[in-house]
Amino acid sequence: MWELTNNSFDEDGLPQRIQVPKTAELIAQQLRGQIVRGILKPGDMLPPETVLGKRFDVSRPTLREAFRILENESLIVVRRGSRGGVQVVSPDVSVAARYVGLLLQIQNTTLSDLYEARMVIEPAAVRMLASRRSEDDIKDLTAVIDELAVLVDAGAESADLDKWSTTAFRFHDLILERAGNQAIGLIGRVLADVVATHMSRVVSRTTDTDEVATQFKKTIRAFRRLVTLVDAGDADAAEAHWRRHMNSAAKKMLWGRFATESVVDLFN
């Protein structure tokens, strides 16, 4: 069942001990594969424990250990009680953001690193979007801009500034989502999730609400210009415009100690 590979031998050429997966891990692997391949879809209920126990020929504790593995991966939800059961769910991007964020913290990644990475990914996503845009893409992007404009026009004194940031980042998320590349979309949204936390902190620490409103109005104009270029299918101009906008925004967001602040500082 288990094959020896070149990595299975030590420096003297002797076979190393192979770690055999536990039964619960093998069951989780099989169920995970069915979920990933779409055999089990979000919303589906797994058979009762008694049925699965007989199918895999395992005890209830072993089966529940497999459930815990999948639940930690946000692939299932276990509901207790008479109407309970095990339901398949679709993991949210926040699951990936949590683990990637942890790795970034351990490596003492700076916020400058994150912004630099975003300025590589998002302009490329804009180019893809401009080449593949649909009427719904333009309509949805415009709707987010209009929502942000209403919030900003309501005035900085009565507005929830954090809501301004959340709405603005929804525009970024939409660009990544509609670019048409799943990998870029996921990676970009994970980075954006961390940067959004930073942006909220900067805005919350700012006492000059008039300046915040001015910056958001500039952001709205940049958003509208982007939609115009994307709608025209001008991929070169759209990409260049978005790179300039992101570079300008980064300079404003990374002044002083923020330039060298690490991700671990951000979450503490």
Side-chain angles (χ1 to χ4, degrees):
M1 180 177 179
W2 303 103
E3 295 182 358
L4 293 177
T5 66
N6 290 335
N7 294 328
S8 302
F9 297 88
D10 61 22
E11 58 185 11
D12 296 321
L14 299 175
Q16 294 180 347
R17 181 178 179 181
I18 298 176
Q19 184 69 38
V20 180
K22 296 170 62 176
T23 303
E25 293 171 346
L26 293 173
I27 295 173
Q29 179 181 342
Q30 189 170 140
L31 292 173
R32 185 189 300 112
Q34 293 182 38
I35 294 171
V36 170
R37 291 193 298 273
I39 299 172
L40 292 171
K41 298 178 173 58
D44 287 351
M45 300 296 296
L46 295 186
E49 288 184 0
T50 53
V51 175
L52 286 176
K54 290 180 180 179
R55 179 181 302 175
F56 291 114
D57 192 23
V58 295
S59 64
R60 179 169 291 182
T62 299
L63 190 61
R64 289 185 174 179
E65 185 180 349
F67 289 163
R68 280 194 293 272
I69 294 172
L70 296 175
E71 195 168 27
N72 287 335
E73 295 173 353
S74 298
L75 292 175
I76 63 170
V77 172
V78 179
R79 295 185 173 88
R80 307 300 180 187
S82 58
R83 296 186 177 181
V86 180
Q87 185 175 37
V88 177
V89 295
S90 178
D92 188 79
V93 70
S94 61
V95 176
R98 183 169 64 249
Y99 287 106
V100 172
L102 178 61
L103 290 174
L104 291 172
Q105 291 180 54
I106 291 173
Q107 296 177 18
N108 203 32
T109 305
T110 65
L111 291 169
S112 293
D113 288 336
L114 286 182
Y115 273 86
E116 187 174 29
R118 285 185 67 232
M119 282 188 283
V120 171
I121 293 173
E122 280 200 34
V126 163
R127 168 175 284 278
M128 293 179 182
L129 176 60
S131 302
R132 306 170 178 176
R133 83 281 182 208
S134 67
E135 291 184 6
D136 284 341
D137 294 333
I138 301 303
K139 181 179 68 175
D140 293 342
L141 287 166
T142 301
V144 175
I145 299 172
D146 291 343
E147 181 181 342
L148 180 59
V150 169
L151 291 172
V152 175
D153 289 342
E157 292 183 2
S158 60
D160 180 358
L161 298 183
D162 189 56
K163 193 170 184 179
W164 292 14
S165 300
T166 301
T167 306
F169 265 91
R170 188 139 43 87
F171 186 82
H172 289 263
D173 286 344
L174 199 55
I175 289 172
L176 295 163
E177 177 187 322
R178 302 297 176 84
N181 185 292
Q182 295 291 337
I184 285 180
L186 178 59
I187 295 170
R189 288 171 64 194
V190 167
L191 294 177
D193 186 72
V194 180
V195 172
T197 302
H198 170 232
M199 183 175 179
S200 295
R201 281 185 62 185
V202 172
V203 171
S204 67
R205 292 178 181 181
T206 303
T207 56
D208 190 346
T209 54
D210 289 338
E211 175 60 21
V212 173
T214 298
Q215 292 302 323
F216 268 95
K217 287 177 181 178
K218 290 180 179 178
T219 296
I220 290 170
R221 289 196 293 271
F223 284 4
R224 292 199 188 281
R225 175 60 178 163
L226 178 70
V227 171
T228 298
L229 294 171
V230 169
D231 191 23
D234 194 338
D236 289 338
E239 181 181 15
H241 167 73
W242 201 240
R243 182 172 287 108
R244 286 193 301 270
H245 166 69
M246 293 190 68
N247 185 57
S248 176
K251 288 180 180 178
K252 291 182 176 65
M253 299 295 289
L254 292 173
W255 74 80
R257 70 179 183 82
F258 283 124
T260 57
E261 187 176 42
S262 70
V263 175
V264 69
D265 295 327
L266 183 63
F267 286 95
N268 284 336

